[in-house]
Amino acid sequence: MTKRNRGKGTCWRDRSIAVILALGLAVPVFAESYDEHVAFDNARVGGPYHFSKGSVIAPSSFALENGALPVDARTFHSPPNSLRLSWTSKTGGGWQITLDVQKYFRTASFIGDTLSLWIYAEQPVGQHGSPGIFLTDATGTTTTTIPLLGPKPDIPARKWVKIRLPFASFVDIIGSISDRKVDMTRLAGITINQSLDDGVPHTLYIDDIRVEDSKAPEPADPPSVPEGVTAKGYDRHIDIAWQRPATPVDSWRIERSIDGTPFAPLGTQKGDIARFEDFLGVSGKSARYRVVALDSAGHESGPSKDVTATTRALSDGELLTMVQEAQFRYYWEGAHPDAGLALEIQPGNPNQVALGASGFGLMALVIGIDRGFVTREQGVQRFLKIVRFLDKADRFHGVWPHYLDGRTGKTMAFFGQYDNGGDLIETSFLMEGLLAARQYFTRDTAEEREIRDTITAMWKGVDWTWYRDGADSPYLYWHWSPDYGFHIHHPLIGWNESMIAYLLAVASPTHAVPASLWHTGWASRSPLAVAYRQRWSKTTLGDHFTNGNSFYGIKLDVGEGNGADLFFTHFSFMGFDPRGKRDAYTDYFKNNRAISLINHAYAVDNPRGFKGYGDNAWGFTAGIHSGGRPRQADDNGTITPQGALSSFPYTPVESMKALKHFYRDLGDKTWGVYGFADGYNETDNWFEETYMGLNQAPPVVMIENYRTGLIWKLFMSNPEIAPALKKIGFRKD
């Protein structure tokens, strides 16, 4: 067996979203996820590591960069980088640095009984020079502090050494009067701090921090050599893909050669994804690649056969297709292997299927079939898996919950005990996608008939009237629980993402609500509705549904404040085509365009002076770290690329500028295996590695609606939609 070649400058490495073998129909089952063990492998970008925070008290010293740990790209255990700790501990001083291993929205629990990390020292370090380390869980409960070196008396210079710290060892050597109960499955923080004041300068590099199971058997044989490696050049990057084997692989090392130079480590990919993006930054540049597989013990395969690709300049249309195909992969390659549906976030809980994100993903899958990213037969087989799973999954008066366990189809009450029933908004997003798919699979085959018939049966089974909480209720309600009823009691009141729920409820062929609910619920002007809008928007502007004010010279008919998050203009409008239609309040296409233009104008104005905003850098909408709304009180410097990209039907010129900037100028930091990651913040040097199911599909769908109108045509062709619009009072504008 061979071991990884670990040394200075020679070794290697989020939520997205793995090449599924051949047709993508059979996926090997991995017992545990990479994300259930890895606390840190590599930083997305150089400079200060965003997920760290340090402090120092003189006369001690500690090298921080903007208050954070520096990322080092020259010395690493897994490519392309590690974290550098440089300090001198002196009497009377102190320092500490904390790593955030939750990273805002971690849904996967850690599995194991031991914390492990690799350390590389510039000079030998003994116990007197060892810093301390303690752990914190998600509740803020902390362990005691123990030496970072653990039981090792010292570590040599210029050699990577693995340190193992059993969780049971995090107790004081002289005992403790408290009985701390730290939940290591919810490990949130790792803090390294000053111990003895030896007064000697030290530099350590830390890499590959994991939670391991000490009882897990070591793999007996090294992994097989990766097969089926391909490389394809795009405008500024090369996409490398390979076959995923039937036996578990912990991670992959990607190696690159440019201009005939020896192969060198380029990056690391976690084992359940068989794809890697190398952003070269220019067109017309060639490179060779090969891939090495590694198991959890560090045993390496031999290198794969090498492949070569060259970047090439793409037209605007080709750039749009590139984005659509990459983000489509979240729902194709990154889907749950049993359910075929979208995961809530990647990296995250590998079994947390999100119903709303899956509805958006269904529309993305239809586009993937139509554009030839996969064959129609592949798509049919995937949709059969999906509808069969959904048909047997938990429903509550026909309504699915927010999350399902992809293995069992059972409800996951992620948001607490009262969230154990039906979620009408998530179901509406799912049904939006299902109804579009029903109109796409129209061929007279047994498989496509089954898809259509199953969707129709599920559509008829949604009891929209039940979610009124009484026959006289003027509102639809978001949740219902079999144990707690309407305890959450959240009415659906617009302007927000709930428009599609009212449209589908009026359109239902079996459990339709009166069209009057469009006006008493969605567009309600009742005291409850006014207070509701004021509470979440913190403004009286638009609190009566209609607005009428102008922002940056752009008049807004409907919406709180200056229009709010961009996803309000996307989620309900991926299926519903608003062009040329007006209800009693507005033409929603024009209103959505106004909101998008205001959003763009806010970025140009940049009232809080954040780095990176401008004519080609905008998009304020919901995301992992995003304030969402384009107003100073919510603005934290974060841009979510999906906001501008999903606005293509409304703002094609401004959206194309943003696409080119996100990709050509920032692509080495923003582009990944599932297209653009969730968000970035140049002021904070934060570039997310996470992909969200709710955000990856809208650009795929809305770009297609801009290009061909495909999903709009499909959804609107459902026979129940036009009569519902007529009942509501829509008319041609």
Side-chain angles (χ1 to χ4, degrees):
M1 285 184 275
T2 58
K3 290 283 187 178
R4 303 191 208 202
N5 178 23
R6 301 296 193 183
K8 185 171 181 179
T10 62
C11 301
W12 77 303
R13 170 165 155 115
D14 144 72
R15 168 263 171 259
S16 1
I17 304 160
V19 172
I20 298 175
L21 283 172
L23 299 182
L25 307 179
V27 182
V29 176
F30 292 83
E32 293 175 3
S33 165
Y34 184 87
D35 302 313
E36 292 171 317
H37 294 282
V38 176
F40 171 82
D41 49 11
N42 289 288
R44 178 70 180 263
V45 297
Y49 181 55
H50 179 78
F51 297 104
S52 68
K53 184 177 182 180
S55 61
V56 59
I57 300 173
S60 294
S61 62
F62 189 94
L64 295 171
E65 190 171 345
N66 292 338
L69 268 182
V71 173
D72 193 282
R74 297 170 300 173
T75 305
F76 45 75
H77 183 254
S78 62
N81 53 48
S82 67
L83 300 175
R84 185 176 73 249
L85 285 72
S86 296
W87 76 91
T88 302
S89 298
K90 294 186 176 182
T91 304
W95 59 266
Q96 76 173 28
I97 186 76
T98 298
L99 303 180
D100 172 14
V101 300
Q102 289 289 317
K103 298 183 179 180
Y104 296 118
F105 195 80
R106 182 183 176 88
T107 62
S109 298
F110 285 107
I111 297 176
D113 58 12
T114 299
L115 184 75
S116 72
L117 63 159
W118 287 84
I119 294 179
Y120 181 98
E122 291 283 8
Q123 304 85 22
V125 178
Q127 283 290 338
H128 278 76
S130 173
I133 181 173
F134 67 86
L135 310 178
T136 307
D137 68 15
T139 69
T141 305
T142 63
T143 69
T144 52
T145 301
I146 65 172
L148 178 63
L149 300 190
K152 291 185 179 295
D154 54 52
I155 58 173
R158 300 183 178 277
K159 180 181 178 181
W160 281 102
V161 176
K162 187 172 186 177
I163 303 294
R164 289 183 173 90
L165 304 173
F167 290 147
S169 69
F170 281 87
V171 294
D172 284 323
I173 59 174
I174 59 173
S176 173
I177 62 173
S178 65
D179 183 18
R180 294 179 173 89
K181 298 294 184 183
V182 179
D183 184 357
M184 296 302 186
T185 67
R186 302 179 64 202
L187 179 63
I190 299 173
T191 300
I192 301 171
N193 59 10
Q194 175 172 319
S195 184
L196 295 179
D197 48 355
D198 64 351
V200 178
H202 295 281
T203 297
L204 294 180
Y205 302 88
I206 294 180
D207 206 354
D208 293 327
I209 306 173
R210 292 182 173 229
V211 174
E212 296 183 343
D213 183 356
S214 64
K215 302 179 184 64
E218 182 172 316
D221 299 306
S224 301
V225 174
E227 296 181 349
V229 180
T230 62
K232 182 178 179 180
Y234 290 88
D235 191 86
R236 297 287 193 274
H237 81 281
I238 291 176
D239 173 74
I240 306 101
W242 54 95
Q243 291 180 359
R244 198 166 98 180
T247 54
V249 170
D250 179 75
S251 55
W252 313 90
R253 182 171 71 245
I254 296 83
E255 299 176 345
R256 182 181 69 187
S257 168
I258 294 180
D259 298 330
T261 58
F263 278 98
L266 171 64
T268 303
Q269 185 59 277
K270 58 186 182 181
D272 54 357
I273 293 181
R275 187 179 292 276
F276 187 84
E277 311 301 306
D278 181 22
F279 199 85
L280 295 175
V282 295
S283 298
K285 188 171 185 177
S286 299
R288 286 193 301 153
Y289 301 91
R290 66 186 189 188
V291 181
V292 176
L294 300 100
D295 65 22
S296 58
H299 303 137
E300 295 187 357
S301 72
S304 70
K305 294 180 180 179
D306 60 87
V307 293
T308 301
T310 304
T311 55
R312 65 180 184 87
L314 300 185
S315 66
D316 287 0
E318 289 173 316
L319 285 172
L320 291 175
T321 302
M322 178 192 76
V323 172
Q324 288 181 287
E325 183 175 13
Q327 304 210 174
F328 152 85
R329 292 189 195 121
Y330 184 94
Y331 308 90
W332 186 256
E333 297 176 4
H336 190 277
D338 300 325
L341 293 167
L343 300 180
E344 164 69 3
I345 192 168
Q346 297 196 41
N349 186 330
N351 294 303
Q352 188 177 6
V353 166
L355 278 298
S358 293
F360 299 164
L362 297 181
M363 293 181 271
L365 290 177
V366 167
I367 292 164
I369 298 166
D370 207 63
R371 287 204 166 267
F373 303 155
V374 295
T375 67
R376 190 178 184 96
E377 178 56 28
Q378 288 174 292
V380 165
Q381 295 304 313
R382 174 61 63 85
F383 267 89
L384 283 172
K385 174 186 285 190
I386 288 170
V387 298
R388 289 168 180 171
F389 176 85
L390 288 172
D391 195 38
K392 295 179 180 179
D394 281 353
R395 276 182 285 171
F396 305 89
H397 294 276
V399 172
W400 288 276
H402 195 132
Y403 299 114
L404 291 170
D405 187 318
R407 299 163 296 186
T408 64
K410 298 300 182 183
T411 302
M412 296 179 73
F414 182 76
F415 295 110
Q417 68 184 69
Y418 304 120
D419 185 39
N420 69 339
D423 186 308
L424 199 63
I425 288 296
E426 298 297 306
T427 294
S428 298
F429 296 158
L430 178 62
M431 192 54 64
E432 186 179 14
L434 287 169
L435 289 176
R438 182 177 71 163
Q439 299 304 102
Y440 186 78
F441 292 107
T442 57
R443 293 184 181 177
D444 189 21
T445 66
E447 292 85 358
E448 296 201 15
R449 283 196 300 273
E450 181 182 346
I451 293 171
R452 294 194 301 272
D453 292 346
T454 306
I455 291 173
T456 298
M458 292 188 294
W459 166 225
K460 290 181 177 179
V462 179
D463 189 351
W464 305 89
T465 59
W466 180 267
Y467 283 78
R468 292 182 67 183
D469 187 20
D472 298 328
S473 169
Y475 308 103
L476 292 170
Y477 284 86
W478 202 311
H479 307 89
W480 179 81
S481 162
D483 299 312
Y484 307 103
F486 288 97
H487 176 86
I488 296 178
H489 218 249
H490 188 143
L492 300 184
I493 296 170
W495 169 254
N496 51 32
E497 71 271 37
S498 68
M499 179 178 178
I500 190 67
Y502 280 98
L503 174 57
L504 293 176
V506 175
S508 171
T510 51
H511 301 284
V513 303
S516 59
L517 262 68
W518 184 269
H519 309 283
T520 64
W522 162 248
S524 176
R525 302 187 180 202
S526 70
L528 171 65
V530 172
Y532 174 90
R533 296 187 186 100
Q534 290 177 354
R535 185 167 62 251
W536 78 262
S537 68
K538 301 179 179 64
T539 179
T540 59
L541 298 180
D543 62 3
H544 285 66
F545 188 70
T546 54
N547 190 304
N549 295 282
S550 292
F551 305 89
Y552 299 105
I554 303 161
K555 185 174 182 295
L556 182 66
D557 288 345
V558 166
E560 297 89 343
N562 60 358
D565 308 59
L566 281 174
F567 78 89
F568 292 0
T569 71
H570 306 147
F571 287 7
S572 290
F573 299 95
M574 288 193 277
F576 173 52
D577 180 0
R579 294 174 297 178
K581 302 178 187 68
R582 171 180 288 275
D583 69 356
Y585 313 101
T586 190
D587 175 317
Y588 287 98
F589 183 87
K590 294 178 180 178
N591 198 69
N592 290 347
R593 174 171 164 77
I595 291 174
S596 303
L597 289 172
I598 292 167
N599 200 285
H600 171 265
Y602 177 89
V604 174
D605 183 32
N606 192 10
R608 296 194 63 185
F610 286 115
K611 182 180 178 181
Y613 287 15
D615 179 46
N616 62 356
W618 59 285
F620 303 97
T621 191
I624 294 295
H625 186 41
S626 173
R629 284 171 276 176
R631 67 172 194 166
Q632 294 185 56
D634 301 291
D635 188 5
N636 63 8
T638 300
I639 287 177
T640 305
Q642 321 301 349
L645 300 179
S646 301
S647 299
F648 255 97
Y650 315 127
T651 53
V653 173
E654 294 82 359
S655 294
M656 182 57 78
K657 288 180 183 178
L659 186 160
K660 291 178 178 178
H661 173 64
F662 297 151
Y663 177 71
R664 289 177 173 166
D665 300 331
L666 301 175
D668 61 327
K669 303 172 184 177
T670 60
W671 185 262
V673 292
Y674 302 129
F676 291 107
D678 191 71
Y680 70 89
N681 187 313
E682 291 195 70
T683 302
D684 290 348
N685 194 45
W686 173 77
F687 291 83
E688 185 56 75
E689 296 180 81
T690 296
Y691 304 90
M692 287 194 70
L694 282 172
N695 277 350
Q696 295 306 114
V700 182
V701 177
M702 295 303 274
I703 287 173
E704 192 63 35
N705 282 334
Y706 162 67
R707 300 177 81 178
T708 68
L710 174 65
I711 302 301
W712 279 343
K713 294 173 186 175
L714 291 171
F715 179 83
M716 299 301 288
S717 69
N718 280 281
E720 302 92 344
I721 300 302
L725 293 176
K726 185 175 181 180
K727 290 178 184 177
I728 291 168
F730 273 90
R731 63 185 188 277
K732 289 184 179 180
D733 190 358

